[in-house]
Amino acid sequence: GISMYPLGIVGNILFCVLATVAMLRYDLLETKVIIRKGTAYSLVVVLVLGIFGGMILLLSSVFQTALNPISITIMIVSVLIALLVFTFFQPVLPLFQRIVDRWFYRERYDYIQALRSFSQETQSVTDFQGLSSALTNAVALAMQSKNAYLLLSSPQTNDFILHSPASDDALATGSISTDSAFLTWMRRNDGFLRSGDLDILPEFRGLRASEREYLKALGGEIYMPLKTPAGLTGVLILAPKLSQKPYSSEDITLLWTLTRQAAMSIENARLYAEERERASALKTLDRMKSEFLVQTSHQLKTPLTSVKVAADMLIEQEEKESSASRLQMIQTLNMGVESLQRLVNEVLDFAKMQTATLDIHREPSDITYLIHDIAVLMTPALQRRKQHLELALLDPLPLVMIDQQRLSQVLVNLLENAIKFTPRGGQITVHASEDAQSGITVGVEDTGPGIPEDEHEKIFEPYYQVTANSGYYTGSGLGLAIAKSLVELHGGNIWLKSKIGEGSTFFFSVPVAQNVDIRKKIDVSAHA
């Protein structure tokens, strides 16, 4: 029997006030989102209703004065107008939403838009440090945070270290162990953490005191994991906002979208940086190896030269006072020294090519003359194996721009290989012709066992040995690699045509000397 009036009204008013305060203070209903979205929709609705209502009033007035019983036509026309208005104004909503957002966020708008497009723009960025710094700066500006940090895995220790600029040296040198409770939670869960969770959740009771102090020193309020299919890549840490307001669900949604996409970009950049460091280290080791080969080859050349001179002197003495067994041993010694000298020279040349210290001095030269000289030089080796060398050279050929000493090296290497791999009594052919595109093309053809097709490119690689079933013998594996480098230094190309059982032909090309029209005629008989 007790009347609640007017206490009921007062109670309802107080409840509405408390509920409103709670919603505004703790973002229970995301009031800002409702206002932003509602404002954009309201503007579109007002615009559409204004145009649509005006058109209906205009049509109604026109049809009412002209002919009264035409309401069905008015309805049909109204539906068509509604469809047209809907079709036309559908793209208007995003435009109005951008206008409202720019007004709502003010100076934050550009930062938020930049943050939305950050991950797409940085997918191809390979600068690991630059990408990490750009991410933290973009997040801090867009979220209006006091600071943002990025914890990323260290390739040396696997611990997570700070990769963001920090004013405090203690922060820059700190780290989180990979087996800590904090990172274990990040790996096992798909959510994020707030600062209070570190004190509330039972999983963090085992967190080391030093790591707890380090996280507290960073002053983070939000901890967002950066994950890829391979696992946890890093942790994004956001300090409180400058306004001291909590992060809204819209902020969290934006951060989630960003971290999912940015994690892969950061992981790719990190892997690229590691591969670049590894490649740099390998390049340094390769350079050191080449320098070692150069020094070793120079040191070997001096004693070899002395042994060679001594062997030549002994041969001269033996020819005067002949002793067959002793002469044969000295000749064997001489041949061994010559073989070692060739090997040392190959290693030295290859090392110089690797360190880009091999110089060539090109000048207009007659390649026909050069080929005949090399043929004369190889005559003793051909006679020992009873092989026949045929020179099929077009005469005359234009002059070529070459370093005669270095190109002689190429020809000697190709002919030595042809002699070595051609059976006794076999045929070797050297042919040369002019090509409008490649210049002068020289081919050295043998009747050896041939080379498998899948090894045609590999045979020019350093130290590569052809498979045993091809019939080729082992060697230093540098001759063809050096020949390839020398030809390419001349601006030409080298290639191979071969089939198993049908022999092999090694081709190389060198450019013709420009603005030189002299063509020499070689007297072949003078070099026979």
Side-chain angles (χ1 to χ4, degrees), residues 86-139:
F86 172 77
T87 304
F88 177 75
F89 283 101
Q90 189 175 9
V92 174
L93 180 59
L95 175 63
F96 278 17
Q97 188 65 66
R98 286 195 295 271
I99 295 173
V100 172
D101 288 347
R102 184 173 289 278
W103 169 80
F104 188 82
Y105 288 116
R106 293 180 177 85
E107 69 276 1
R108 289 181 60 199
Y109 178 78
D110 292 334
Y111 295 128
I112 291 176
Q113 292 302 112
L115 189 62
R116 291 182 189 277
S117 59
F118 175 83
S119 59
Q120 296 178 353
E121 294 174 355
T122 56
Q123 285 181 355
S124 59
V125 176
T126 56
D127 181 7
F128 177 59
Q129 295 293 343
L131 182 60
S132 302
S133 179
L135 174 62
T136 53
N137 290 335
V139 170

Side-chain angles (χ1 to χ4, degrees), residues 284-526:
T284 302
L285 289 174
D286 190 59
R287 178 179 56 81
M288 293 173 63
K289 178 196 71 176
S290 299
E291 292 175 355
F292 170 77
L293 290 176
V294 170
Q295 295 177 2
T296 303
S297 299
H298 278 299
Q299 292 174 1
L300 284 173
K301 287 187 74 173
T302 301
L304 282 176
T305 302
S306 301
V307 174
K308 180 70 167 62
V309 171
D312 290 339
M313 293 175 63
L314 287 172
I315 290 175
E316 290 179 4
Q317 293 179 2
E318 286 298 324
E319 288 177 349
K320 296 177 181 178
E321 300 177 4
S322 179
S323 173
S325 60
R326 205 162 43 184
L327 178 62
Q328 184 177 4
M329 287 189 291
I330 295 174
Q331 289 175 340
T332 302
L333 173 64
N334 192 43
M335 291 174 58
V337 171
E338 289 178 352
S339 177
L340 281 174
Q341 282 184 325
R342 282 198 302 270
L343 180 60
V344 169
N345 288 332
E346 284 184 355
V347 173
L348 182 59
D349 288 341
F350 181 71
K352 287 181 178 179
M353 292 174 189
Q354 294 295 98
T355 55
T357 57
L358 181 68
D359 296 325
I360 61 170
H361 305 282
R362 296 193 294 171
E363 58 183 1
S365 305
D366 191 332
I367 197 168
T368 306
Y369 182 87
L370 183 64
I371 292 173
H372 277 281
D373 276 353
I374 299 301
V376 172
L377 181 66
M378 305 304 295
T379 299
L382 291 164
Q383 291 176 347
R384 282 196 299 269
R385 296 180 61 84
K386 301 185 181 304
Q387 294 167 340
H388 176 67
L389 174 63
E390 179 182 353
L391 301 182
L393 311 177
L394 292 182
D395 191 20
L397 288 173
L399 299 182
V400 290
M401 290 296 294
I402 59 172
D403 182 324
Q404 291 194 32
Q405 179 184 355
R406 294 302 180 182
L407 202 66
S408 297
Q409 214 174 327
V410 175
L411 284 166
V412 168
N413 180 274
L414 296 181
L415 279 171
E416 281 183 345
N417 285 344
I419 292 171
K420 186 189 301 182
F421 304 136
T422 298
R424 293 179 65 85
Q427 171 79 24
I428 298 173
T429 306
V430 178
H431 41 81
S433 59
E434 183 180 2
D435 185 89
Q437 294 181 345
S438 57
I440 301 298
T441 300
V442 178
V444 178
E445 181 180 356
D446 63 48
T447 53
I451 301 173
E453 188 173 352
D454 59 346
E455 300 188 30
H456 285 191
E457 293 295 330
K458 298 178 183 178
I459 198 172
F460 294 103
E461 296 177 0
Y463 310 111
Y464 184 80
Q465 301 290 342
V466 185
T467 52
N469 59 6
S470 65
Y472 276 68
Y473 311 118
T474 59
S476 68
L478 290 176
L480 289 176
I482 293 173
K484 181 176 184 294
S485 297
L486 289 175
V487 170
E488 290 176 349
L489 283 174
H490 282 83
N493 293 304
I494 189 168
W495 65 98
L496 165 68
K497 289 184 179 179
S498 178
K499 288 185 178 180
I500 294 295
E502 298 182 11
S504 304
T505 305
F506 284 86
F507 296 93
F508 70 88
S509 62
V510 287
V512 174
Q514 300 297 324
N515 302 322
V516 179
D517 298 327
I518 302 174
R519 294 172 181 255
K520 294 184 179 180
K521 188 83 172 178
I522 302 298
D523 184 4
V524 178
S525 61

